[in-house]
Amino acid sequence: MSERIKTLLASEKTMRAVNLLFLLSMLIPGLGIIYLAYLLWIAYLVYFIRRTASKTIKIWNSLLIVLASCMIAVNLYFMLRSA
């Protein structure tokens, strides 16, 4: 099972799915698709942090994870504020 997940994360199809989710979240706002997109993107970045030996790539991906986490928090704030 874990090999199947690793293969899926390493494929180009995963990044296409992430991009599609971001596009759908812009076209259909308010459904929470953006949270799923950010969470899938974070999972993708974590996988590549563990896989790479380059320290620069690890730092860059970590910064992107922090950015995605902040965006989730901001989106949740505005969603709860408007409710």
Side-chain angles (χ1 to χ4, degrees):
M1 181 73 171
S2 66
E3 284 299 318
R4 185 175 177 196
I5 293 172
K6 287 180 184 178
T7 305
L8 180 66
L9 283 173
S11 73
E12 188 178 313
K13 291 180 183 179
T14 304
M15 205 55 217
R16 285 184 192 167
V18 171
N19 291 336
L20 178 65
L21 285 172
F22 278 115
L23 179 65
L24 284 175
S25 71
M26 287 188 295
L27 295 175
I28 312 169
L31 290 181
I33 298 172
I34 192 73
Y35 304 112
L36 183 62
Y38 279 123
L39 290 174
L40 186 58
W41 189 36
I42 288 171
Y44 187 79
L45 291 171
V46 166
Y47 173 74
F48 279 102
I49 284 175
R50 292 183 179 173
R51 190 171 172 213
T52 188
S54 171
K55 197 165 198 144
T56 306
I57 298 296
K58 287 182 180 184
I59 292 170
W60 178 249
N61 284 349
S62 298
L63 290 172
L64 289 175
I65 289 171
V66 169
L67 172 70
S69 301
C70 290
M71 291 305 296
I72 289 172
V74 168
N75 281 314
L76 278 173
Y77 170 76
F78 283 113
M79 183 186 76
L80 293 174
R81 186 172 170 226
S82 67

